[in-house]
């Protein structure tokens, strides 16, 4: 899933260059890292990417090891349920018995061998139980920026990976609730990674989101035909924008969780990028031509020109050719909001 | 005097574009404002500019209303005494009885009518008394960034402008001393503006700085000749770099002061520029494409690209095409220092 258009990483992310196309940590773009993460598990022609038509140019610049006919473009973003449904149709056309692994393209995952081991355990579970499987991340702090999943019953280990049945999904909690979740020990972070048989997923669509299922049936008829694009646009204009969590996972009774014990971060803000970056002895994470004096615990990145920083602490500074962000580290959630103000000030060209 | 090369206004000022060429407050460059300030007092061909040969290109772009042969270029900067001595030779060649007014080209002066009235009073005083006259600014705060001049005897008013004999010059004081100066009432800020007969100045050079006087005699012989430039370079390579204050004013016994009651600012730092700029209701002084959120009392200026600022207070932010400064307002004195660090980091191209 590579259709996001977040503005939380402005000025690095722009309208036509969203988060998955950035190299926020390391040199590879997030989409590239995501694709390469799965290559040891399958052949390239079994990898599909769903993106947005507005990002086609940027996507083609990525030179992903994926056949171009496996890159699916949505005409407009309608959240994850339609995106996953559409991809499922493409996979079904190849093999109706296939098991599909769905992953966001803009997360950071380290310890990739363990990640792949976890995915394979989830694949077995999905095959054995006709289940909708999700990867839950063991929380190490009371994060308020993630959704949580509560487990019910321990199903033992699969190839060394713990698995559970799922009691419920919980939305992003407040701090007190997050602390309770952490303490209880049976709440996991929702990684947004899902694993299921195509047939099981489509049945779940039929049962829990019949309107979406109808739309998918319409699309199924036109895949590979001349009128595919026209129909896709028509269907997407009408289809309900909704996440797979809301539309299906929270309602279904055959949901399972495998425990992800790899390093995972959804890179939700510049603050998280700072935390994951290498720091110098002053606690500054620096990229590009930067000179600091008496400055500490700052994230300072420039891809164009020099930045001189004097006497600053706990600040995010990101400079691109035509735009600079200067933001207190505890205010990164407002990057999205300030970018919305650009329209009012007739500064759309910087979006 | 337009030969400065200060780095306190980096990134706006650079090696080849020093402070006098900036429009720090208002639209005119400081050198342009300075020249125009004197136009009502004299004809353009009586105006001389002394600059540095390295700034010739930038100077020619200014299109000053001054004949090009009145723009004198020093081969290297040697502080104000050689600069004023050299200019005096050019003026002397026109009229040995002339009275010369010397002014820095990079100060801000408002209430220009009063300024000119003060200058004319100083000119009379210099003519009547064969005196070295300086304009002293009445301090309104215990500034530690200026030199001070202590007055001795009140000589009454000249055309409404108070004049005094001078007891002594004092260097930039610490805060306690500056407070004492302010309280005493007989200390004035040294504006760096001087007025004297050419003949009186040259006699003072002869008496108090005979080595400089010798050098001036050598130069006097070559002005207008083919070997002027070669000789100038040779003399300047050897001549002592020293300010007119140290070389002459502090030693001479015929120094007088006229009281400057116009608005004066030497624009010594970005902090002063902030103080002199118009602010919005959040106390922010803003130039260019800037969007702020919960930010107060900041100076934010961009001549290239947009700046988004979240949650910042009391910060100076200045962005140019290839460089950005981010500095706490109480640390502006360190801009000079951080710029020196550029060399160590191999970032000279940004100087």
């Amino acid at each position: 899933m590579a259709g996001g258009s977040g503005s939380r990483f402005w000025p690095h992310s722009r309208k036509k260059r969203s988060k998955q196309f950035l190299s926020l940590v390391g040199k590879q773009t997030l989409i590239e890292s995501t694709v390469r993460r799965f290559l040891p598990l399958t052949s390239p022609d079994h990898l599909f990417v769903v993106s947005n038509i507005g990002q086609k140019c940027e996507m083609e610049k990525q030179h992903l090891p994926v056949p171009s006919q496996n890159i699916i473009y949505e005409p407009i973003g309608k959240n994850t349920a339609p995106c996953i449904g559409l991809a499922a149709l493409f996979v079904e056309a190849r093999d109706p018995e296939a098991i599909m692994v769905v992953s966001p393209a803009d997360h950071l995952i380290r310890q990739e061998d363990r990640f792949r081991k976890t995915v394979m355990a989830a694949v077995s579970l999905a095959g054995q139980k006709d289940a909708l499987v999700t990867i839950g991340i063991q929380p190490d702090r009371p994060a308020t920026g993630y959704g949580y999943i509560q487990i019910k019953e321990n199903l033992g280990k699969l190839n060394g990976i713990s698995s559970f049945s799922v009691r419920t999904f919980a939305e992003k909690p407040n701090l007190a609730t997050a602390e309770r979740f952490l303490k209880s020990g049976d709440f996991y972070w929702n990684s947004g990674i899902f694993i299921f048989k195509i047939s099981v997923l489509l049945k779940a669509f039929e049962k829990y989101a019949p309107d979406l299922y109808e739309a998918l049936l319409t699309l199924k008829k036109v895949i590979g035909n001349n009128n595919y694009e026209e129909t896709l646009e028509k269907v997407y204009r009408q289809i309900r924008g909704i996440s797979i969590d809301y539309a299906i996972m929270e309602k279904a009774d055959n949901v399972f969780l495998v425990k992800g014990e790899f390093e995972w971060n959804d890179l939700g803000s510049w603050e998280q990028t700072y935390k994951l970056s290498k720091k110098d002895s002053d606690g500054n994470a620096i990229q590009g031509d930067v000179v600091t004096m008496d400055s500490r615990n700052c994230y300072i990145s420039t891809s164009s020109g020099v930045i001189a920083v004097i006497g600053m602490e706990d600040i995010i500074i990101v400079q691109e050719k035509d735009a600079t962000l200067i933001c207190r580290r505890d205010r990164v959630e407002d990057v999205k909001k300030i970018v919305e103000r650009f329209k009012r000030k007739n500064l759309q060209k910087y979006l």
Side-chain angles (χ1 to χ4, degrees), chain A:
Chain A
M1 292 188 292
S5 65
S7 53
R8 284 176 299 179
F9 284 93
W10 186 93
H12 211 35
S13 64
R14 303 290 176 97
K15 236 176 167 170
K16 292 198 175 153
R17 188 183 58 193
S18 33
K19 191 181 147 204
Q20 59 269 23
F21 300 120
L22 306 180
S23 311
L24 289 171
V25 178
K27 296 210 166 163
Q28 287 184 357
T29 61
L30 292 169
I31 173 83
E32 194 183 346
S33 301
T34 302
V35 165
R36 294 195 180 279
R37 191 176 299 135
F38 286 97
L39 276 184
L41 294 181
T42 190
S43 62
D45 65 314
H46 283 205
L47 291 169
F48 288 81
V49 175
V50 187
S51 183
N52 189 288
I53 191 68
Q55 298 169 347
K56 193 172 181 187
C57 264
E58 200 66 36
M59 187 59 82
E60 283 167 356
K61 282 188 213 149
Q62 301 290 314
H63 301 294
L64 298 177
V66 172
S68 62
Q69 67 272 25
N70 285 17
I71 303 185
I72 304 164
Y73 294 102
E74 295 178 290
I76 20 172
K78 288 282 186 168
N79 212 329
T80 52
C83 165
I84 292 170
L86 178 63
L89 298 179
F90 277 81
V91 177
E92 189 194 28
R94 292 261 196 100
D95 177 6
E97 296 305 308
I99 292 176
M100 177 160 91
V101 179
V102 174
S103 168
D106 58 358
H107 291 175
L108 178 81
I109 285 172
R110 283 165 175 165
Q111 303 165 295
E112 298 209 331
D113 280 338
R114 273 162 92 166
F115 168 75
R116 283 185 286 262
K117 213 173 138 190
T118 311
V119 168
M120 289 318 292
V123 167
S124 325
L125 192 64
Q128 286 166 29
K129 304 225 178 222
D130 280 356
L132 303 167
V133 185
T134 174
I135 296 181
I137 310 291
Q138 176 101 59
D140 59 7
R141 61 182 194 281
T144 55
Y146 302 141
Y148 284 71
I149 302 171
Q150 187 180 22
I151 54 173
K152 194 159 62 185
E153 200 184 336
N154 189 335
L155 305 177
K157 294 208 171 185
L158 260 165
N159 203 11
I161 305 292
S162 303
S163 62
F164 306 87
S165 60
V166 164
R167 185 183 303 277
T168 188
F169 280 66
E171 295 193 51
K172 293 178 185 178
N174 61 27
L175 187 62
T177 308
E179 279 166 348
R180 194 161 52 74
F181 285 177
L182 184 66
K183 214 173 154 189
S184 80
D186 52 340
F187 281 84
Y188 289 78
W189 289 335
N190 184 350
S191 69
I193 303 172
F194 303 105
I195 302 95
F196 24 60
K197 277 192 195 163
I198 294 294
S199 55
V200 173
L201 174 72
L202 291 176
K203 250 176 242 152
F205 265 105
E206 189 176 6
K207 188 166 175 190
Y208 302 112
D211 57 328
L212 300 184
Y213 185 69
E214 278 300 316
L216 292 177
L217 286 185
T218 308
L219 291 174
K220 184 176 171 170
K221 285 179 210 145
V222 297
I223 283 185
N225 295 357
N226 276 342
N227 54 345
Y228 164 70
E229 279 187 24
E230 193 194 332
T231 311
L232 186 70
E233 216 180 298
K234 208 193 281 172
V235 167
Y236 259 75
R237 217 178 295 129
Q238 293 161 353
I239 208 168
R240 185 157 55 109
I242 186 169
S243 72
I244 192 80
D245 306 64
Y246 275 119
I248 291 174
M249 303 304 285
E250 294 184 5
K251 295 176 177 161
D253 50 16
N254 55 336
V255 180
F256 293 79
L257 178 147
V258 296
K259 184 171 165 183
E261 289 181 281
F262 46 84
E263 192 184 330
W264 171 85
N265 196 299
D266 83 337
L267 294 175
S269 69
W270 283 119
E271 173 64 6
Q272 292 190 34
T273 309
Y274 168 74
K275 285 197 172 138
L276 290 164
S277 301
K278 275 190 196 158
K279 285 108 185 157
D280 63 19
S281 56
D282 293 323
N284 296 317
I286 284 176
Q287 287 180 0
D289 288 348
V290 172
V291 187
T292 61
M293 179 183 267
D294 299 331
S295 295
R296 278 190 296 280
N297 304 327
C298 292
Y299 179 84
I300 311 172
S301 166
T302 168
S303 64
S304 173
V306 73
I307 305 181
V309 182
I310 303 175
M312 306 298 293
E313 286 186 29
D314 299 310
I315 304 291
I316 303 284
I317 302 169
V318 182
Q319 176 163 297
E320 296 274 316
K321 202 175 166 57
D322 63 343
T324 304
L325 169 72
I326 298 155
C327 178
R328 253 172 51 196
R329 276 183 44 208
D330 58 1
R331 296 292 302 273
V332 290
E333 295 303 322
D334 290 318
V335 172
K336 230 180 152 117
K337 282 187 214 155
I338 201 167
V339 166
E340 282 159 19
R341 293 193 183 177
F342 280 40
K343 281 176 205 152
R344 262 192 270 156
K345 293 212 152 195
N346 207 24
L347 299 171
Q348 293 94 327
K349 62 174 169 173
Y350 299 114
L351 293 180

